[in-house]
Amino acid sequence: MARRTRFWTIPLLAVLAAMHAAEAPAQCILANPSFEIGASGSNVFGGWGQFGDVGSVSFATHGSAAARVSGPDWGGWDVSAFWQQQDSYQGEQWEVTGKVAHSSANPLTGDCRAIVNIEWWDAGGMMSYESHDVALPSTPTDEYQSFSVLSDPAPSGTVAMRALFAVLQSPSDPPPDVYYDQTTVLSQSYPTIEDMQWNDFPGGRALSFSGRTWRVKGPGYYGPGPNLFSDSESSVWVDGDDRLHLTIRNVGGSWYSTEVALTETLGYGDYIFTTVGRVDDIDPAAVFGLFLWQYGPCWDESYLWWNPYNEFDIEFSRWGNPASSNNAQFVAQPWDWYGNVSRFDVSFGAEELSSHALRWLPDRVVCRSWRGGPQDESPGNMIHTWTYTGPHIPRPEIPRVHVNLWRCCDQPSSNLEVVLDAFTFFPADPTGVSDAPEGDDSSARPARLLAARPNPFNPVTTIGYSLRNEGPTEMAVFNVAGRRVRTLVDGFVPAGDHEVTWDGRDDRGARVPSGVYFYRLRAGDAVETRRMVLVK
């Protein structure tokens, strides 16, 4: 949380205004909020204004870049900052969030501090501002801290607000280095960003699939396309085997597409979609999409270059071209940015199960398609893999899982249907699912967790682990909802190699249902998690 600090003196306000008095166009949502995309000319990052001593660093909480602001050390109370402007009006409040750190090499000392300023502007210039401390000399170095700032209501005459991510340099202290990453600037007036997530779902219909609740899009015209979407039980349904059916149907001369969205936001982790049958052979005019998406405050094509909607897709389509040599793709949005698409060709049997996955992590998205269900991922079953480390990794704001079947081009030759057998999620946070290979060198690691064997298993599996040093150790099993099922180890364990077994029972001795489970090793500061499947 941020602490409100004193308002700085009028002379400093005048300095700030002079430093960045040039007008910047207002926008509907913060551009390039994780500082991933560079700018041409004098600016360090696309979409950002700046002044003072600024730059970039690779020490980041998300993606590969963060913003650096350093004390300008000009002999007075001086400020360096990155900033952006938003349209605003009297009474509107804004929440500003992000991650902040300061460097142990050049830390905050004395009266220096990291600050977030919120400026109020009328048609003639800056009227006033408020300042919030987000890091102080007492803040731990080389470690990102979360902050959240809520502004006062905008004063009378406001037409815009500017959010500054800054460092305040005192006259008598050495210049510090402060880093900012993963920032947001969101209005708290109705409709908020949360209010906007369900505008395309006015029918209010929901269904249960794979143990989770999904809302059904429509009825009405919405994107993508736009298409006419149906939320009727004849268009989208879950059958008695807990399989999700999506369709494109011609009803009364109108074509209806379908989409569902998960009500939860899941965050970083492994998203696995298991399909049934010929999803490779849908009509060339249709797209079957499995993706992350977050609705934004507006649709503005001029800002699509930085992925404002946190979209990442798995898509099956020939995009209107029956002769296309590829029918599937992994896509980081915007799709037309260099290196953001990996296309491939695949074919399936009429009742074949196949799985398609996005392992979404702070610094990459690991995409895979393989034959079989979630437990069948292996080199022998793999169809296509792609690891994306570009500038458009989705940010952990509020993107949700969406699944849709829609018309991209002209009209299909007949009604269409696709079937999803299951959706499986393995969270990377808080349990931190490991994707380290078995052959990974563990000599520098304080603890190492091995794959359960057998896996899948019934009724017993053995879990190996090793500790470099003796100490308090815990091994626990969790279900897919993150709830603790069984504690296998809880106490002081000597250094060396160890094994423990799990018999598929909870802490009360009751047998747990078949399904996916996580097992987590915690030894000192080391935490590692893997997954296993209980079958009956």
Side-chain angles (χ1 to χ4, degrees):
M1 293 297 292
R3 179 177 66 85
R4 175 68 59 84
T5 190
R6 61 189 179 274
F7 278 77
W8 298 103
T9 61
I10 293 299
L12 180 58
L13 186 148
V15 169
L16 290 173
M19 284 178 168
H20 56 292
E23 287 299 322
Q27 57 210 31
C28 57
I29 191 169
L30 191 69
N32 198 15
S34 203
F35 301 96
E36 297 306 312
I37 300 172
S40 60
S42 60
N43 280 7
V44 177
F45 298 108
W48 290 89
Q50 63 188 56
F51 58 86
D53 187 349
V54 298
S56 65
V57 293
S58 59
F59 173 51
T61 63
H62 178 83
S64 60
R68 173 189 58 81
V69 287
S70 301
D73 197 21
W74 293 332
W77 286 101
D78 299 313
V79 174
S80 297
F82 290 94
W83 60 273
Q84 284 194 40
Q85 178 171 305
Q86 306 286 321
D87 289 336
S88 190
Y89 54 83
Q90 180 179 340
E92 188 173 19
Q93 288 186 278
W94 295 81
E95 183 182 30
V96 181
T97 69
K99 307 286 187 180
V100 64
H102 65 125
S103 164
S104 58
N106 298 295
L108 295 165
T109 58
D111 290 322
C112 295
R113 62 200 62 226
I115 59 174
V116 168
N117 284 2
I118 298 171
E119 301 177 348
W120 305 113
W121 288 65
D122 64 13
M126 184 165 62
M127 301 183 296
S128 62
Y129 72 99
E130 53 189 81
S131 189
H132 303 258
D133 292 343
V134 294
L136 301 169
S138 59
T139 301
T141 59
D142 300 330
E143 179 181 326
Y144 276 98
Q145 310 289 328
S146 298
F147 65 83
S148 177
V149 167
L150 180 64
S151 77
D152 291 334
S156 175
T158 296
V159 297
M161 67 84 70
R162 289 188 181 180
L164 276 75
F165 300 89
V167 62
L168 176 69
Q169 171 71 58
S170 76
S172 57
D173 297 304
D177 290 336
V178 172
Y179 311 136
Y180 288 97
D181 202 8
Q182 206 174 309
T183 58
T184 68
V185 178
L186 295 170
S187 174
Q188 299 304 290
S189 298
Y190 182 83
T192 66
I193 189 73
E194 288 79 11
D195 296 326
M196 298 170 188
Q197 299 310 301
W198 301 112
N199 290 340
D200 292 3
F201 298 76
R205 184 182 170 215
L207 51 79
S208 177
F209 165 62
S210 280
R212 300 181 185 273
T213 301
W214 306 72
R215 289 187 64 169
V216 185
K217 192 171 192 173
Y221 280 96
Y222 301 102
N227 273 261
L228 182 60
F229 280 86
S230 170
D231 65 346
S232 77
E233 294 183 7
S234 300
S235 296
V236 55
W237 70 94
V238 177
D239 65 25
D241 294 322
D242 194 35
R243 286 179 166 178
L244 174 66
H245 297 249
L246 297 176
T247 66
I248 296 177
R249 297 193 307 143
N250 189 312
V251 180
S254 296
W255 287 95
Y256 290 86
S257 299
T258 51
E259 180 171 326
V260 297
L262 191 63
T263 57
E264 308 167 76
T265 55
L266 301 178
Y268 293 134
D270 207 3
Y271 295 71
I272 303 177
F273 305 85
T274 301
T275 60
V276 183
R278 299 297 308 275
V279 296
D280 61 302
D281 195 33
I282 61 175
D283 191 283
V287 180
F288 176 39
L290 313 160
F291 60 105
L292 293 173
W293 167 271
Q294 170 183 316
Y295 288 89
C298 71
W299 178 266
D300 187 340
E301 292 189 355
S302 65
Y303 292 103
L304 296 184
W305 55 271
W306 60 270
N307 191 12
Y309 309 107
N310 279 319
E311 184 178 1
F312 204 104
D313 307 293
I314 303 170
E315 293 173 320
F316 293 89
S317 181
R318 295 194 187 274
W319 300 98
N321 179 10
S324 173
S325 60
N326 294 303
N327 60 3
Q329 62 185 15
F330 300 127
V331 186
Q333 294 295 341
W335 63 270
D336 53 354
W337 192 278
Y338 177 78
N340 276 16
V341 179
S342 178
R343 303 210 71 196
F344 58 102
D345 192 69
V346 65
S347 62
F348 299 115
E351 295 297 324
E352 184 177 3
L353 290 183
S354 58
S355 295
H356 317 281
L358 307 172
R359 182 180 289 123
W360 173 31
L361 299 170
D363 62 344
R364 63 195 185 278
V365 181
V366 183
C367 308
R368 301 99 67 213
S369 282
W370 67 89
R371 300 186 187 277
Q375 72 276 9
D376 297 318
E377 183 175 4
S378 68
N381 291 333
M382 198 62 61
I383 298 168
H384 186 70
T385 64
W386 181 53
T387 297
Y388 178 75
T389 58
H392 297 107
I393 298 168
R395 302 167 307 283
E397 294 167 3
I398 50 174
R400 288 177 167 83
V401 175
H402 290 245
V403 181
N404 62 14
L405 182 64
W406 57 283
R407 291 192 304 123
C408 69
C409 342
D410 201 12
Q411 296 180 359
S413 58
S414 62
N415 291 347
L416 308 176
E417 180 180 337
V418 296
V419 182
L420 201 63
D421 180 70
F423 168 72
T424 311
F425 177 68
F426 302 127
D429 184 29
T431 53
V433 174
S434 171
D435 58 355
E438 283 297 318
D440 189 28
D441 180 13
S442 62
S443 60
R445 296 162 59 184
R448 185 169 186 239
L449 183 60
L450 303 179
R453 61 186 198 279
N455 186 18
F457 72 95
N458 180 22
V460 177
T461 189
T462 299
I463 300 168
Y465 66 100
S466 60
L467 306 178
R468 190 173 63 187
N469 301 308
E470 63 183 13
T473 302
E474 180 191 72
M475 175 90 71
V477 178
F478 299 83
N479 63 19
V480 292
R483 298 185 181 92
R484 184 184 294 258
V485 171
R486 178 78 175 271
T487 301
L488 301 175
V489 178
D490 187 13
F492 191 91
V493 177
D497 298 330
H498 305 275
E499 288 186 342
V500 64
T501 61
W502 184 43
D503 59 2
R505 297 178 184 269
D506 64 19
D507 281 327
R508 297 172 298 176
R511 291 193 177 277
V512 301
S514 59
V516 176
Y517 293 87
F518 305 110
Y519 55 105
R520 182 183 70 190
L521 173 67
R522 186 187 298 274
D525 294 332
V527 180
E528 190 171 350
T529 300
R530 288 183 177 271
R531 57 182 177 262
M532 56 187 167
V533 179
L534 171 61
V535 294
K536 294 182 180 179

